[in-house]
Amino acid sequence: MLANHSSATEFYLLGFPGSKELHRLLFATFFFFYSVTLMGNTVIIVIVCVDKRLRSPMYFFLGHLSALEILVTTVIMPVMLWGLLLPGMQTISLAACVTQLFLYLSLGTTEFALLGAMAVDRYVAVCNPLRYNIIMNSCTCIWVVVVSWVFGFLFEIWPVYATFQLTFCKSNVVNNFFCDRGQLLKLSCNNTVFIEFILFLMAIFVLFGSLIPTIISYTYIISTILRIPSASGQRKAFSTCASHFTCVVIGYGTCLFLYVKPKQTQAANYNRVASLMVLVVTPFLNPFIFTLRNDKFMEAFRDVMKRCCQLLKD
């Protein structure tokens, strides 16, 4: 614990409650999830890069989404896994805490911007197929990705700066497995009502700013699909959007509960479970969501694997 009117130069991550046996079980489970996340998303990036059949905007965006999933989970997971192996609380320096929080929020913001762009891409593909190649040309796709990355990192500079301008004099024990902003605000002896309100408005801007185009796009997509006379045509049209739609439901659903609330200092157990959904479960599921029912990707994957096997035999 810190003395009054002093600010933390390091923090202690409380991590997960429970016995050593439970920690070992959690370590094995999360290590498996992390390994599959890295392998699955890396496979997507490699296949998209090497196979010419996947040179389309949808797969270009998917490659960047997979890169974001790898980065956002890598910012948190190694620290969390190391904490499960160590007895007691884990120490993290102020600089490391700032870096972790900034990267986590920036990558998450970038991902939401990209998901919104992917929804618009699906709208153009389904509702304006004849103009798709003209509208979603390579220049447009590159600009969309660049703007998403730049926006994500620039947008989170002030929230992280404002958070660490506070004086942390109540304690330096963060009741989570990473530098969670809500738990950090709890440790401040400053009045955080104003900053929490601003963070609430910024969260609304990010989430709804990308969710509204997504809702509008899928409204038009669904109405267009319903006008297709054949059932097979409807299934084929919706299959191009189903993966993205599933990802949107999982990602937005979790983050709306986690960040869009006037009071950022939610109960620790609530934050811990919601954070696990964002950082562990969603990145783990995305490779399966986007590939298993995608015949074009699976065909490209099989061809790449055959080529690799032939090279190894030679």
Side-chain angles (χ1 to χ4, degrees):
M1 297 291 287
L2 297 168
N4 287 339
H5 307 297
S6 64
S7 191
T9 56
E10 63 181 16
F11 295 94
Y12 294 96
L13 302 179
L14 197 58
F16 296 89
S19 63
K20 288 183 179 180
E21 289 73 20
L22 176 60
H23 283 191
R24 292 194 191 102
L25 178 62
L26 290 175
F27 175 85
T29 303
F30 293 148
F31 183 78
F32 169 75
F33 272 64
Y34 183 50
S35 301
V36 173
T37 298
L38 291 183
M39 289 188 290
N41 285 289
T42 301
V43 166
I44 290 175
I45 294 170
V46 171
I47 300 298
V48 168
C49 289
V50 301
D51 197 287
K52 292 181 180 180
R53 288 168 294 182
L54 304 184
R55 301 287 169 83
S56 69
M58 182 177 77
Y59 295 105
F60 178 71
F61 293 142
L62 178 58
H64 281 270
L65 183 66
S66 295
L68 284 165
E69 296 287 23
I70 290 173
L71 291 172
V72 75
T73 194
T74 300
V75 167
I76 307 295
M77 286 291 282
V79 176
M80 182 182 77
L81 291 171
W82 183 244
L84 287 170
L85 292 178
L86 295 175
M89 292 183 288
Q90 184 180 8
T91 305
I92 183 169
S93 68
L94 178 63
C97 191
V98 173
T99 303
Q100 187 186 64
L101 182 62
F102 176 69
L103 290 175
Y104 164 61
L105 293 175
S106 298
L107 292 166
T109 302
T110 302
E111 187 169 334
F112 282 119
L114 192 60
L115 284 172
M118 290 174 75
V120 175
D121 169 69
R122 294 297 84 209
Y123 158 74
V124 178
V126 174
C127 301
N128 293 283
L130 298 179
R131 299 181 60 200
Y132 180 70
N133 291 329
I134 299 172
I135 297 172
M136 300 303 296
N137 56 58
S138 59
C139 184
T140 301
C141 293
I142 291 169
W143 270 107
V144 166
V145 166
V146 170
V147 169
S148 297
W149 281 88
V150 172
F151 169 75
F153 277 78
L154 291 181
F155 188 80
E156 294 298 340
I157 291 175
W158 183 85
V160 174
Y161 172 79
T163 299
F164 287 97
Q165 285 297 107
L166 299 171
T167 303
F168 302 103
C169 58
K170 292 180 180 178
S171 171
N172 58 351
V173 178
V174 179
N175 192 2
N176 211 328
F177 55 85
F178 73 107
C179 283
D180 175 30
R181 184 170 63 193
Q183 297 305 308
L184 286 169
L185 292 174
K186 275 187 174 182
L187 306 181
S188 174
C189 54
N190 304 99
N191 188 337
T192 61
V193 173
F194 176 73
I195 188 174
E196 287 188 59
F197 179 69
I198 298 299
L199 293 174
F200 168 67
L201 293 180
M202 294 181 76
I204 286 179
F205 177 78
V206 169
L207 290 173
F208 285 94
S210 56
L211 184 58
I212 288 172
T214 301
I215 293 172
I216 294 172
S217 295
Y218 274 102
T219 301
Y220 281 104
I221 287 169
I222 292 169
S223 65
T224 301
I225 289 174
L226 291 176
R227 289 200 297 269
I228 298 174
S230 66
S232 61
Q234 289 181 350
R235 284 195 298 271
K236 185 178 179 181
F238 189 73
S239 67
T240 65
C241 310
S243 299
H244 176 264
F245 182 76
T246 305
C247 181
V248 164
V249 171
I250 296 172
Y252 281 94
T254 306
C255 287
L256 284 171
F257 281 107
L258 188 58
Y259 293 113
V260 181
K261 52 185 186 289
K263 192 71 175 171
Q264 294 286 309
T265 52
Q266 280 275 10
N269 289 334
Y270 175 96
N271 276 14
R272 192 178 285 110
V273 172
S275 298
L276 284 173
M277 284 293 298
V278 174
L279 294 165
V280 180
V281 178
T282 303
F284 170 80
L285 291 176
N286 275 358
F288 301 103
I289 292 170
F290 279 102
T291 60
L292 287 182
R293 297 189 65 184
N294 189 317
D295 295 335
K296 192 173 181 180
F297 182 90
M298 293 306 296
E299 184 181 346
F301 174 73
R302 284 191 290 268
D303 289 347
V304 170
M305 292 304 295
K306 286 178 184 177
R307 275 183 273 171
C308 290
C309 291
Q310 288 174 355
L311 288 173
L312 290 173
K313 288 178 181 178
D314 297 339

